[in-house]
């Protein structure tokens, strides 16, 4: 640490510096809302004096300072790699072309809103200002009494992974949320009855759509109260006219495999009509007969004890799993008051943690450091294309402040208009977002129940909601990685290809964990093409679409077109994507049947992480890992190994079956599949038989085998089904005769033309050239008198080379 009478400079890492200035030398050594780790070892640095200034440098940065009050002339930091220099300025949020972080709420948003500062900038640096955040000592938050400047210089250039890792070391890890939170949530601001809500849950089951979280908005509690108490916005007493036996109601939800959260608006405190008022008043040495309002003040330890022990804990013992903290009253009434949202988030979280419950809250973002208290409730947006279009960008930039678990009102909350196409596009985005939560206002015209949609919207909605539960093993593994390494599930494209300037332009594309690129479609379909599109940057490599099998060669920016039934979800060559087999029950447990989606061509691996999903045992290392490994030999042989599960295998099923789906390949001459269990050859060579319509099936040489294989030429897929085996035994598939597949341009071109609402003679002419011209089709197309959007859609199938 470099110190003077009025300043301190601390090298936290070679790329991260703390800069403090106070005219009387008052500095903060305790934790703050932002920073919780003051024990990080200081990085090595050099120090010298030069021209009346101190000059200190690490392997990555050079700092010059004149030991006076911070000024643009007297304080600067340079990045050695690029030579870019920051000169002190109070415009912290705009310096370095900041890539932004997130915002407190999207309440009332209809499209874009301003975003707060993140820890990265296009120029390679960013400033995070911690001068005004409250300090945290002995379990209590308080406003800083001697405010000076307390800044953090992040100079990570394009090393985003290192920046996030060090941010988490300094500011705390993103905790593991319960596994069930990753499934589908049903929520609606609606005056449900006990019977009516259960009927909705049962109807989802009839639709074969799994749920994992049931949300009951504010009408669970009394909302029509005597005006002498104020409004019914705040409440803690069940409305027994709607829920005559709420204890049984909670049991019934749990019996259906659902976890439950209740909405809280705590601003008005505890008032005289509440069932627990008398007990709470006595604990606070108040006369219950006076019915004096108990003011909401979590800064008061006595009130905190009453709030949790007398009000919330009894309901948790009866079946409430976590709380939706719907604070809407701003950052505090008094200048020296800590933001009540900070207190709500922190003390709710710590209350669960201190009782050995895996913590999770559902609340708004309270500023940097909020990543320690997932999950984020983004608020009440308008149901418009503008709102949908902003959410993928909003969610991905939140990663720049480590905030990786936003939950949006999928489909929009209010206003707007009825548009089923937009609802489906929002649901598709929601499935590939951190939390999949359907929610809306109480309007009788705002219905998102799938059975209220006509076909084909109803079927598409159901298929994507079922897919969300299949994704849980993959997302949960990424959750653990985020907690361990700081890399969020949602990754802006500049994390993946930072040196490509185009990666900063594609706001609706993002990495979804390690294996997937997702393009969120957020605008309506073209009137004539009957498909919608999204601009995507494909980094170098070969990619296959998970839904369509379309093959792409990367290193280019493209516009991809999709009908309503899908969005672009791409796997890169060498990727392994582990999913659960399709689930139709309300469950999020570790599955007995898995599907491995694999793109052969390069070596690759994926290690699946599993624990019990609900307790704090994972903090003691009680977890299990299963490694999937793909090796490509020079002769084209693919070896796919399912390694024995390692660790505490008691947290997963004893036996597990697998289906392996190979994407972007064809079965060529000599195609064969062998299964090896341990060191013993278990399977046999299988031969392909044409089944018709581009599909194939296989059987063993003797006609039957436990190892089955099916080929789908239209999607360039080979599906291999393995019998169930113990999870502690290695299984290896050895596959020969694979060849890389290209796009079936005639078939895909026909599908685009058949769907389009254009003149039939135009379709026929284009289709003739597709069939006859081969690779020369693009040359003809470029000169053809054809709508440019249609041209663009047809070019897509020629991007495989």
């Amino acid at each position: 640490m470099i110190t003077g009478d009025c300043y301190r400079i601390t090298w936290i890492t070679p790329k991260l510096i703390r800069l403090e200035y106070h005219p009387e030398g008052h500095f903060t050594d305790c934790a703050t809302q932002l920073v919780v780790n003051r024990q990080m070892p200081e990085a090595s640095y050099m120090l010298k004096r030069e021209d009346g200034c101190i000059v200190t440098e690490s392997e990555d940065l050079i700092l010059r300072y004149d030991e006076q009050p911070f000024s643009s002339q007297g304080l600067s930091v340079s990045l050695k790699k690029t030579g870019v220099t920051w000169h002190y300025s109070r415009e912290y949020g705009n310096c370095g072309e900041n890539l932004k972080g997130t915002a407190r709420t999207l309440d009332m948003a209809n499209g874009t809103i301003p975003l707060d500062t993140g820890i990265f900038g296009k120029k390679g640096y960013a400033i995070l200002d911690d001068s005004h955040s409250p300090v945290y000592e002995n379990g209590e938050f308080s406003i800083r009494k001697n405010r000076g400047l307390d800044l953090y210089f992040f100079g990570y250039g394009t090393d985003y992974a290192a920046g996030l890792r060090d941010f988490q070391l300094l500011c705390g890890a993103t905790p593991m949320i319960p596994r069930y939170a990753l499934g589908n949530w049903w929520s609606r601001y609606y005056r449900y009855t006990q019977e009516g809500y259960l009927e909705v849950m049962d109807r989802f089951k009839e639709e074969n759509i799994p749920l994992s979280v049931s949300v009951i908005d504010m009408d669970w509690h009394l909302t029509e109260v005597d005006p002498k108490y104020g409004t019914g916005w705040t409440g803690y007493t069940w409305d027994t006219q709607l829920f005559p036996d709420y204890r049984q109601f909670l049991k019934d939800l749990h019996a259906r495999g659902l976890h439950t959260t209740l909405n809280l608006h705590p601003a008005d405190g505890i008032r005289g009509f509440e069932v627990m008022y008398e007990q709470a008043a006595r604990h606070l040495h108040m006369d219950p007969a006076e019915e004096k309002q108990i003011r909401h003040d979590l800064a008061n330890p006595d009130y905190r004890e009453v709030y949790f022990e007398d009000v919330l804990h009894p309901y948790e013992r009866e079946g409430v799993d976590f709380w939706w903290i719907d604070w809407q009253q701003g950052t505090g009434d008094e200048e020296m008051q800590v933001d009540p949202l900070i207190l709500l988030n922190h003390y709710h979280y710590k209350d669960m943690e201190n009782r050995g419950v895996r913590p999770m809250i559902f609340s708004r973002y309270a500023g940097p450091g909020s990543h320690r208290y997932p999950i984020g409730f983004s608020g009440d947006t308008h149901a418009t294309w503008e709102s949908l279009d902003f959410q993928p960008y909003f969610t991905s930039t939140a990663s720049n402040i480590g905030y990786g678990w936003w939950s949006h009102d999928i489909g929009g909350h209010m206003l707007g208009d009825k548009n089923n196409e937009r609802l489906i596009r929002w649901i598709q985005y929601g499935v590939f977002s951190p939390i999949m939560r359907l929610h809306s206002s109480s309007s009788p015209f705002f219905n998102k129940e799938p059975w209220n949609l006509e076909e084909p919207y109803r079927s598409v909605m159901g298929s994507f909601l079922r897919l969300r539960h299949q994704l849980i093993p993959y997302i949960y593994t990424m959750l653990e990685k985020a907690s361990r390494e700081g890399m969020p599930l949602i990754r802006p494209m500049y994390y993946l290809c930072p040196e490509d300037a185009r990666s900063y332009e594609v706001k609706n594309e993002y990495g979804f964990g390690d294996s997937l690129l997702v393009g969120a479609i957020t605008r309506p379909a073209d009137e004539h093409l009957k498909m919608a599109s999204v601009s995507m940057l494909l980094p170098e490599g070969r990619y296959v679409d998970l839904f369509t099998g379309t093959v792409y060669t990367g290193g280019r920016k493209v516009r991809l077109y999709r009908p309503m039934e899908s969005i672009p979800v791409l796997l890169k060559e060498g990727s392994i994507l582990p999913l659960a087999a399709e689930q139709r029950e309300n469950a999020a447990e570790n599955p007995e049947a898995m599907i491995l989606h694999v793109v052969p061509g390069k070596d690759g691996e994926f290690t699946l992480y599993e624990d019990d999903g609900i307790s704090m045992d994972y903090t003691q290392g009680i977890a299990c890992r299963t490694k999937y490994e793909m090796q490509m030999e020079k002769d084209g042989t693919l070896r796919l190994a399912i390694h024995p599960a390692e660790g505490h295998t008691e947290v997963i099923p004893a036996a597990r079956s697998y289906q392996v789906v190979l994407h972007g390949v064809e079965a060529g001459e000599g195609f064969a599949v062998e299964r090896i269990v341990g060191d013993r050859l278990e399977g046999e060579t299988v031969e392909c038989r044409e089944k018709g319509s581009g599909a194939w099936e296989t059987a063993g040489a003797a006609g039957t085998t436990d190892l089955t294989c099916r080929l789908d030429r239209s999607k360039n897929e080979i599906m291999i089904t393995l019998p169930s085996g113990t999870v502690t035994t290695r299984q290896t598939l050895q596959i020969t005769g694979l060849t890389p597949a290209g796009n079936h341009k005639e078939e895909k071109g026909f599908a685009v033309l058949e769907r389009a609402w254009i003149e039939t003679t135009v379709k026929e002419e284009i289709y003739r050239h597709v069939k006859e011209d081969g690779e020369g089709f693009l040359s003809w197309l470029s000169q053809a008198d054809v709508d440019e959007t249609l041209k663009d859609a047809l070019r897509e199938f020629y991007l495989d080379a």
Side-chain angles (χ1 to χ4, degrees), residues 163-340:
L164 290 164
R165 182 190 63 237
D166 291 345
F167 174 81
Q168 183 163 279
L169 288 173
L170 179 68
C171 303
T174 299
M176 294 280 289
I177 58 178
R179 186 181 177 98
Y180 67 76
L182 304 180
N184 296 315
W185 298 31
W186 175 254
S187 178
R188 187 178 182 187
Y189 177 32
Y190 190 80
R191 197 169 172 82
Y192 284 110
T193 64
Q194 179 171 338
E195 181 181 7
Y197 194 94
L198 293 174
E199 287 176 353
V200 172
M201 298 298 97
D202 291 341
R203 186 63 187 273
F204 270 100
K205 182 176 177 62
E206 292 175 14
E207 296 279 321
N208 294 315
I209 296 175
L211 300 172
S212 60
V213 177
S214 56
V215 183
I216 298 91
D217 210 320
M218 62 177 289
D219 285 296
W220 71 271
H221 65 73
L222 294 173
T223 57
E224 297 177 358
V225 302
D226 190 321
K228 71 178 183 179
Y229 298 114
T231 72
W233 198 247
T234 297
Y236 301 105
T237 301
W238 280 87
D239 187 335
T240 54
Q241 289 189 346
L242 299 178
F243 299 90
D245 188 350
Y246 74 84
R247 295 178 181 87
Q248 185 61 48
F249 173 66
L250 296 172
K251 289 178 182 178
D252 288 342
L253 290 173
H254 285 158
R256 287 164 168 79
L258 296 163
H259 292 78
T260 305
T261 184
L262 304 182
N263 175 277
L264 296 176
H265 294 109
D268 287 340
I270 307 166
R271 292 171 290 173
F273 63 86
E274 305 284 8
V275 293
M276 71 290 293
Y277 176 79
E278 180 176 350
Q279 179 179 353
R282 293 190 188 281
H283 282 174
L284 291 172
H285 309 291
M286 297 169 60
D287 183 358
E290 295 181 0
E291 291 195 338
K292 184 177 179 181
Q293 176 187 9
I294 300 174
R295 179 174 174 267
H296 176 80
D297 181 12
L298 285 184
N300 180 340
D302 294 332
Y303 174 80
R304 277 205 307 270
E305 182 177 359
V306 165
Y307 176 75
F308 289 113
E309 292 291 340
D310 295 344
V311 179
L312 302 186
H313 289 175
Y315 290 149
E316 292 181 41
R317 289 191 287 269
E318 291 167 341
V320 177
D321 294 289
F322 64 102
W323 298 96
W324 173 9
I325 307 163
D326 200 352
W327 180 264
Q328 300 170 313
Q329 283 69 36
T331 58
D333 299 330
E334 304 169 10
E335 182 180 354
M336 297 303 290
Q337 180 183 0
V338 175
D339 183 348

Side-chain angles (χ1 to χ4, degrees), residues 737-755:
L738 292 176
T739 59
N743 294 324
H744 303 291
K745 299 173 179 62
E746 184 175 327
E747 295 155 356
K748 290 184 178 293
F750 179 86
V752 170
L753 293 169
E754 196 280 331
R755 182 180 293 107

Side-chain angles (χ1 to χ4, degrees), residues 511-693:
F512 189 71
D514 291 344
S515 301
L516 296 175
L517 292 182
V518 176
I521 292 180
T522 61
R523 296 184 181 180
D526 180 83
E527 180 182 1
H528 302 292
L529 199 59
K530 302 303 179 184
M531 292 195 292
S533 65
V534 58
S535 178
M536 296 183 69
L537 174 66
L538 305 185
E540 294 290 340
R542 182 171 178 267
Y543 298 84
V544 181
D545 187 282
L546 179 66
F547 297 117
T548 67
T550 307
V551 177
Y552 305 93
T553 298
R556 57 184 119 193
K557 187 179 177 183
V558 296
R559 180 164 289 278
L560 303 186
Y561 291 79
R562 294 295 183 273
M564 185 193 62
E565 290 78 12
S566 73
I567 61 173
V569 177
L570 308 184
L571 291 85
K572 189 175 183 179
E573 191 174 51
S575 295
I576 300 174
L577 173 68
L579 303 185
E582 184 172 297
Q583 293 180 277
R584 295 169 181 258
E585 300 294 328
N586 295 338
E589 286 81 10
N590 300 321
E592 294 182 354
M594 298 280 294
I595 302 173
L596 299 182
H597 291 274
V598 176
V599 182
K602 290 187 176 181
D603 293 352
E605 63 180 53
F606 187 97
T607 299
L608 181 72
Y609 172 87
E610 297 170 286
D611 56 33
D612 67 15
I614 193 72
S615 77
M616 295 294 286
D617 289 351
Y618 78 92
T619 63
Q620 305 302 314
I622 301 177
C624 181
R625 298 179 190 270
T626 304
K627 183 178 180 180
Y628 308 116
E629 186 175 19
M630 171 170 52
Q631 293 180 324
M632 296 297 303
E633 303 297 333
K634 291 182 179 179
D635 63 359
T637 299
L638 167 65
R639 288 187 176 86
L640 178 65
I642 302 171
H643 290 274
E646 296 183 348
H648 289 264
T649 56
E650 69 272 15
V651 302
I652 65 174
R656 181 170 273 168
S657 65
Y658 284 93
Q659 182 183 74
V660 175
V661 183
L662 307 179
H663 294 268
V665 290
E666 295 177 330
E669 184 178 354
F671 173 73
V673 181
E674 293 177 324
R675 172 177 176 251
I676 301 171
V677 180
D679 297 323
R680 180 171 60 89
L681 184 62
E682 180 75 11
E684 56 183 298
T685 301
V686 294
E687 56 187 20
C688 299
R689 294 198 298 253
E690 188 169 5
K691 192 177 181 182
S693 302

Side-chain angles (χ1 to χ4, degrees), residues 264-486:
L264 296 176
H265 294 109
D268 287 340
I270 307 166
R271 292 171 290 173
F273 63 86
E274 305 284 8
V275 293
M276 71 290 293
Y277 176 79
E278 180 176 350
Q279 179 179 353
R282 293 190 188 281
H283 282 174
L284 291 172
H285 309 291
M286 297 169 60
D287 183 358
E290 295 181 0
E291 291 195 338
K292 184 177 179 181
Q293 176 187 9
I294 300 174
R295 179 174 174 267
H296 176 80
D297 181 12
L298 285 184
N300 180 340
D302 294 332
Y303 174 80
R304 277 205 307 270
E305 182 177 359
V306 165
Y307 176 75
F308 289 113
E309 292 291 340
D310 295 344
V311 179
L312 302 186
H313 289 175
Y315 290 149
E316 292 181 41
R317 289 191 287 269
E318 291 167 341
V320 177
D321 294 289
F322 64 102
W323 298 96
W324 173 9
I325 307 163
D326 200 352
W327 180 264
Q328 300 170 313
Q329 283 69 36
T331 58
D333 299 330
E334 304 169 10
E335 182 180 354
M336 297 303 290
Q337 180 183 0
V338 175
D339 183 348
L341 183 58
I342 295 172
L343 303 180
L344 281 161
N345 292 353
H346 177 82
Y347 289 118
H348 264 270
Y349 203 87
K350 288 299 180 181
D351 172 71
M352 299 181 77
E353 186 177 64
N354 292 340
R355 290 182 288 132
V357 178
R358 188 183 295 198
M360 184 171 72
I361 63 171
F362 184 39
S363 184
R364 287 175 172 81
Y365 175 79
S370 294
H371 66 283
R372 299 191 300 273
Y373 315 112
I375 295 169
F377 165 52
S378 67
D380 301 340
T381 58
H382 290 206
T384 61
W385 286 105
E386 290 80 6
S387 289
L388 170 58
D389 189 51
F390 182 59
Q391 285 188 5
Y393 172 73
F394 176 83
T395 308
S396 64
T397 60
S399 296
N400 295 334
I401 197 68
Y403 199 70
W405 294 101
W406 269 123
S407 170
H408 303 301
D409 290 3
I410 297 301
H413 178 74
M414 59 189 180
L415 302 177
D417 59 359
K418 181 172 182 175
N419 188 309
N420 284 339
E421 179 193 2
R422 186 182 64 226
L423 174 60
I424 293 300
R425 292 306 190 190
W426 220 318
I427 288 169
Q428 290 167 337
Y429 165 64
V431 167
F432 290 95
S433 65
I435 301 295
M436 174 58 218
R437 178 179 56 88
L438 291 161
H439 184 64
S440 62
S441 73
S442 59
S443 169
F445 302 106
F446 221 133
N447 299 299
K448 297 178 183 175
E449 297 86 349
W451 51 89
N452 286 323
L453 303 183
E454 66 269 22
E455 293 291 356
Y457 306 105
R458 178 177 182 173
S459 295
V460 176
M461 180 178 184
S463 66
F464 269 87
L465 292 178
R466 285 187 284 274
L467 174 60
R468 176 64 187 201
H469 275 241
Q470 290 186 265
L471 284 162
I472 289 175
Y474 173 70
I475 300 173
Y476 195 71
T477 299
M478 294 299 101
L479 164 65
E480 190 274 338
K481 183 172 185 176
S483 183
R484 176 168 42 87
E485 298 182 6

